Amino acid sequence: MSLKLTILGFNSAVPTAFTHPTSQLLNIAERYFLIDCGEGTQVQLRKAKAKFNRINHVFISHLHGDHVFGLIGLISTLQLLGRDMPFHIHGPKGIEEFIMTQLRLTESTCSFKIIFNELSSKKSVIVFEDDMVEVISIPLNHRVYTNGYLFREKKKARKLNIDAIAEFPEIEICDYQNLKNGKDYTLESGEIIPNNYLTFDEQKSLSYAFCSDTRYKPDIIPLIKEVDLLYHESTFLHELKELAMYTGHTTAKEAGIIAREANVKKLVIGHFSNRYHDYSVLLDEAKQEFPNTILPEILGTIKIKVNS
Amino acid sequence: MSLKLTILGFNSAVPTAFTHPTSQLLNIAERYFLIDCGEGTQVQLRKAKAKFNRINHVFISHLHGDHVFGLIGLISTLQLLGRDMPFHIHGPKGIEEFIMTQLRLTESTCSFKIIFNELSSKKSVIVFEDDMVEVISIPLNHRVYTNGYLFREKKKARKLNIDAIAEFPEIEICDYQNLKNGKDYTLESGEIIPNNYLTFDEQKSLSYAFCSDTRYKPDIIPLIKEVDLLYHESTFLHELKELAMYTGHTTAKEAGIIAREANVKKLVIGHFSNRYHDYSVLLDEAKQEFPNTILPEILGTIKIKVNS
């Protein structure tokens, strides 16, 4: 089992010939989730050779152009590709009007259903869940209503140790679910066989937290505690801390502190101001606080494997 | 004097890794006009090294995504660049709501004024004019309300032939404007000096007609008669004439016929269906009807000079 994050764009503000606004494609528990969708995202998806029709959910952090202006184009393309599966859009209140007004005024007919999940809570809520994965909002502190998202695999069942079970003929198939759930087994003699003798440990559940855009906000730490991968915005160096505060952003040093305090496994920083051309200065600053920090690469994929 | 047309994108429907939806930058009479604005246009403008703040007018043919989805991103970037000059948007009725809804929902503040000129006439109207140039709508026949645009330099004044004028001391400076306007001069003796002895012929006024998207529509021919450059959509080969009619497009053969019948100087075709990878088949078909046809090139500039 693995978690794969493909970076489609990681810059702030305006797209240029060589930089792309925020968008990421997350593959977790065999689901493909699109996170944010700045202008040009559909072209980046093509370059990443993504299968458009495997993307059923998009999660928008906030309604600023560099995170959402590519969404209408993507929807339009899905229509031209003949999509018929529903398409789920999770994002701040207002996103339905934002998209539906554009569809109405361009006289677009949609062959598929768009299901909006508008968020307005200032508390962390479950945004989406199915049998394998859950997505939880991370309330952030930007200039407009903004959420990050925590994606995590649900706790997996323990795997049966068939050889060990075979030693106890009185254990029947109908008992297996209890064993997978972690229960000990009591023999007719009254002897208790500990669950960890009859099963293997469950596979670790992987998790990814996306946090952009936000001021330094340490109260998210309990929510993102020990995630396998954290993406945290680092728009400025700490020497521009006041500008970061004023514009609703975080410094590289602060992103590193968040990662360290949350005891995450790995930090990837992004959403860099266009003033920086050499991102290594941002990387170095974050690493001072949290050594296992990396820079994103355009169309690069970060893979997190169980036990990696 | 010259007219320069830079092709920012010329494909139909969806942007891909290698193709770009419709957008053009026209330089005529020292004005810079943006024509249509599909997703990614601002990046193409950067690649073309265009000066964003010299663009004061954008002309949108119709409200289909491949012609307009890049406009909100461009406006957002103009704002971030600190623009203060007004920005004029000419396009179909609905474009104001289209843009203003997006600005409102993204809580964008605009440091400059956006002036909308919404078109709804089914007849050709003057869309814009100043002392040097005029822009006239070309009503087209697509699936939604659509206009092409005719851009033409205004008729220029004749240039004074100072040596010839010097032969007649009684001609005074206050007479010069009449001479520039083409009037003959009557001497006190009653002798008439023909204007073409006292002035040089006026410089030719250049013109460009943009026609996309449309079904074959020969009634535009009088409007675009003898333009120096015609861009006409050619979405399909003529073997797909019925599909062209159904989807509201023109074939390469039909574009060639329009160019020939309008006696234009040069035709550039575009808006090709993504089914074509080798555009030479479309060029060959158009050339059968109108030999001086060319293919567009991404970021290529077509220059039309006086007497060229």
Side-chain angles (χ1 to χ4, degrees), chain A residues 27-40:
Chain A
N27 177 210
I28 182 170
E30 297 309 309
R31 276 81 177 139
Y32 286 84
F33 295 134
L34 187 66
I35 307 166
D36 279 350
C37 192
E39 185 176 355

Side-chain angles (χ1 to χ4, degrees), chain A residues 13-19 38-43 46-47 63-65 68-74 76-77 80 93-95 97-99 101-108 143-145, chain B residues 13-19 38-43 46-47 63-65 68-74 76-77 80 93-95 97-99 101-108 143-145:
Chain A
V14 303
T16 69
F18 306 106
T19 65
E39 185 176 355
T41 290
Q42 62 170 314
V43 172
R46 282 190 190 271
K47 287 182 182 167
L63 294 182
H64 274 169
V68 75
F69 282 163
L71 187 52
I72 185 68
L74 175 63
S76 178
T77 293
L80 287 165
K93 189 167 166 53
I95 198 164
E97 183 185 356
F98 182 80
I99 292 298
T101 301
Q102 293 182 76
L103 288 175
R104 173 172 55 80
L105 289 167
T106 55
E107 297 188 27
S108 304
R143 303 195 302 278
V144 298
Y145 177 77
Chain B
V14 304
T16 70
F18 306 105
T19 65
E39 184 177 354
T41 290
Q42 62 170 313
V43 172
R46 282 190 189 271
K47 288 183 182 166
L63 295 181
H64 274 167
V68 75
F69 281 163
L71 187 52
I72 185 68
L74 175 62
S76 178
T77 293
L80 287 165
K93 190 168 164 53
I95 197 162
E97 182 184 357
F98 182 81
I99 293 299
T101 301
Q102 293 182 75
L103 288 175
R104 173 172 55 82
L105 289 167
T106 55
E107 297 187 26
S108 303
R143 303 195 302 277
V144 297
Y145 177 75

